[in-house]
Amino acid sequence: MFLILGHSCSNFFLVFLVFTVTCFKSCWVLYGEQVQGGDGPHKSATLSSFIYATTVLKPYEWRYISVDLPPWFSSVTIALESSIGVDLKRIGKVSTLPMICFREGSPPLPDVYNTSLTGLVIDRISNSSFGGSQDLQMVEKCYPMQKSVSLMLTNEQIRPGIWYFGLFNGIGPLRTQSKMINRGHSYSFSGNITVEGCTNSAMLGKFCNQTISLLSCSDTYISPESGIANMTPCGGTEESCLDVAGSKVYSLDVVSIAEKIIITALNITFTQSQRSNGAINSSGHSLMCYVRHGTLPQPQLYDYFADINRSPLVIPLPRLGRWYIKILPANLSESTSAIQEMNTTICYSLEWQVLRCPADKAGLNCTTAKYTLQTFLKRTPYVAFESYYLPISGEVSSGSASFPLGPLLSNSSDGDYTWTFFLLDIPDGAAGGNIHVRVTSEAKISGEIYARYGGFPSLSNWDYFYSNSTSNSNGSMFFKLYDASDKSVSFYIIYARGGTWGFGLRHPISNRHSSTVETTMSISLERCPEKCSSHGACKSVLDSSGLTFYSFCDCDRRNGGFDCSVELVSSSGIC
Ligand SMILES: *[C@@H]1O[C@H](CO)[C@@H](O)[C@H](O)[C@H]1NC(C)=O
Ligand SMILES: *[C@@H]1O[C@H](CO)[C@@H](O)[C@H](O)[C@H]1NC(C)=O
Ligand SMILES: *[C@@H]1O[C@H](CO)[C@@H](O)[C@H](O)[C@H]1NC(C)=O
Ligand SMILES: *[C@@H]1O[C@H](CO)[C@@H](O)[C@H](O)[C@H]1NC(C)=O
Ligand SMILES: *[C@@H]1O[C@H](CO)[C@@H](O)[C@H](O)[C@H]1NC(C)=O
Ligand SMILES: *[C@@H]1O[C@H](CO)[C@@H](O)[C@H](O)[C@H]1NC(C)=O
Ligand SMILES: *[C@@H]1O[C@H](CO)[C@@H](O)[C@H](O)[C@H]1NC(C)=O
Ligand SMILES: *[C@@H]1O[C@H](CO)[C@@H](O)[C@H](O)[C@H]1NC(C)=O
Ligand SMILES: *[C@@H]1O[C@H](CO)[C@@H](O)[C@H](O)[C@H]1NC(C)=O
Ligand SMILES: *[C@@H]1O[C@H](CO)[C@@H](O)[C@H](O)[C@H]1NC(C)=O
Ligand SMILES: *[C@@H]1O[C@H](CO)[C@@H](O)[C@H](O)[C@H]1NC(C)=O
Ligand SMILES: *[C@@H]1O[C@H](CO)[C@@H](O)[C@H](O)[C@H]1NC(C)=O
């Protein structure tokens, strides 16, 4: 650690500081308060509170603030004051604009592509600016910096996890150029960030009054509806009765990569309490199931839904993490007043199953090959904490960062194409690194590469992909393609978040026996893309918690851009 800090602090213009708001359970004792709500007492407490002292940002400097939102957080309050007030009607050059950016899981980097400036929202930040999109490709949001920012974001709007706020005083290629001449204005900011949470993890929601039933997975669970080829289910059943106007929320943790989640309602009975006093024809009723990853489903915000009175809800290739399941007897978008009058009680037995293929197989039919890649630290790293990933296999020598693909490719196929999957883990502390993927071949490359955070990718479900030079995730802020020729592919996923990543190769089945053609692949975690294009130095720094390690390019005077690939006209100093 000393070595790293020594290295990075040798840079006089070290501006890359990260402050982390951490949470300790003991905060509850100190700050706990009772909130009286309509339905009796429920508790929320200040989990953490951080005062950010006045800080000056010179032109092209930036700061990151990270905020850890635990799964039981209820809201985060952000109050910032700055010496600058941008007149939203007179925005001229975006490159000199003071900005605030938000990103989940990794630090924002608004100038990876200058096309990403189209992602800039020229408007005031408001509480309603958040929520909805979970698209990793685009999930960064940037706003012009305001004189005063006051936000209260609830767990209905943003998901738990580590959120990064970036304050930038100008973006674009000049930001990373060696700052011998500083033009433009400095600004200062100060702020407070407070995280509120629910004191009981079985009570969540904005008001900490939503009861959550925790579903757990029993490995000995045998589904009554067995016969799902090759897959081992874990799951269970739970019986519940609901008033027609009521609802029930469950949570289910997916702790290792799975192929499917199936949610089924069994033994559904609709009982009219007052009049007929008996079972009624249930085919006209709905039992709606809304599912959302990471946070509670809302009327318009959910990932999957089905009427489980009619058919089970199937979630293919679910992401790792906590899934929230909301059951309610009526379609959320129907009028509830008409339904309330029916005085009906619905009883059902909820069955949940998480299905997995055997260890070396994957896919909805368990027919494709899967490899869990092992991490190897680079022996002579360019900077610290660089590593590469190799399949655990006798044919692979750990001396080389690349491995031959031929022997690994899936043999069986349901069509012309098949998949081969790779899983790898990015340590949380390395979330400020970039995943570098390379494929080189003696012949024309005929496969495609898909990447997905927390699960297996599929044709319809990926975070980044490469198909060919014209069809790829180019246009995403965090996908950077450097080589797309016939025989070699090289791309980076910029500032990849920590956790499990799934990579899928989609390739023609005929590839497997053309063993005379050598195709190799390498996946590595690197600190600065393309070693700053040989036009700069890769600087690194640990955040204040000492847990996350970030890198950025500090470019020569004539170059700029996040990877120093942009040549700047030095005579005028302006590009
Ligand atoms: C992006 O940057 C390149 C190189 O600096 C420049 O040629 C191009 O015009 C820029 N595009 C946009 C949309 O600003
Ligand atoms: C967001 O909500 C909080 C609390 O309700 C309020 O104090 C604040 O002014 C709101 N901010 C904006 C920008 O709407
Ligand atoms: C932050 O909190 C301090 C002390 O509670 C207060 O003096 C300051 O005005 C607050 N700053 C903002 C931006 O709300
Ligand atoms: C939680 O409290 C809010 C406000 O008091 C109320 O509108 C909401 O219906 C309550 N939710 C539940 C599930 O009790
Ligand atoms: C459904 O009901 C039948 C008979 O009433 C019972 O045998 C069965 O165990 C029930 N299934 C579940 C999952 O509760
Ligand atoms: C229930 O209602 C549907 C039409 O709404 C009808 O087709 C079906 O036969 C009824 N079932 C029973 C058991 O009455
Ligand atoms: C729920 O209601 C909406 C709008 O009325 C409708 O489009 C949707 O199909 C309904 N869903 C089900 C499962 O009935
Ligand atoms: C439903 O129940 C309430 C009281 O529980 C009663 O006042 C109302 O008349 C009932 N409605 C019907 C349609 O039975
Ligand atoms: C799984 O097998 C079924 C039937 O054999 C086939 O229709 C389906 O396309 C296969 N799905 C995948 C993802 O391979
Ligand atoms: C593919 O088949 C060959 C021979 O049939 C076998 O040696 C090889 O291990 C298989 N590869 C995979 C990934 O299943
Ligand atoms: C690139 O891939 C897309 C879709 O996979 C295809 O339509 C297009 O023809 C390909 N382009 C080239 C140049 O191969
Ligand atoms: C990425 O897209 C931009 C414009 O959308 C284009 O100019 C550039 O050539 C593309 N890069 C690659 C490698 O396809």
Side-chain angles (χ1 to χ4, degrees), residues 274-275 341 343:
Q274 304 272 311
R275 289 186 183 160
E341 283 170 15
N343 283 356

Side-chain angles (χ1 to χ4, degrees), residues 100-103 108 119-121 128-133 138-143 477:
I100 180 166
C101 298
F102 300 81
R103 187 179 175 195
L120 176 69
V121 186
S128 56
S129 313
F130 295 84
S133 173
M138 290 295 170
V139 82
E140 174 175 300
K141 293 192 182 221
C142 292
Y143 301 85
M477 302 167 189

Side-chain angles (χ1 to χ4, degrees), residues 361 369 371 395 406-412 420 512-513:
K361 294 290 177 205
Y371 302 91
E395 293 171 61
L408 303 176
L409 295 179
S410 295
N411 280 347
S412 66
T420 301
R512 68 183 149 133
H513 287 313

Side-chain angles (χ1 to χ4, degrees), residues 360-379:
D360 57 344
K361 294 290 177 205
L364 297 180
N365 288 343
C366 295
T367 49
T368 64
K370 171 182 102 182
Y371 302 91
T372 301
L373 302 185
Q374 208 176 18
T375 310
F376 293 88
L377 282 182
K378 278 195 184 165
R379 289 214 188 100

Side-chain angles (χ1 to χ4, degrees), residues 20 28 32 34 51 92 128 147 154 186 201 204 232 236 242 327 334 340 375 394 406 458 490 493 518 526 542 557:
T20 302
W28 294 351
Q34 291 259 350
I51 297 178
S128 56
K147 201 159 199 68
T154 67
S186 296
S201 63
L204 294 182
T232 22
L242 284 179
I327 304 287
E334 282 166 13
Q340 259 162 344
T375 310
S458 69
S490 168
I493 294 171
E518 173 92 333
E526 296 177 12
L542 285 164
R557 284 204 59 199

Side-chain angles (χ1 to χ4, degrees), residues 97-114:
L97 193 63
M99 277 208 267
I100 180 166
C101 298
F102 300 81
R103 187 179 175 195
E104 186 196 343
S106 285
L109 205 55
D111 41 15
V112 172
Y113 270 122
N114 51 11

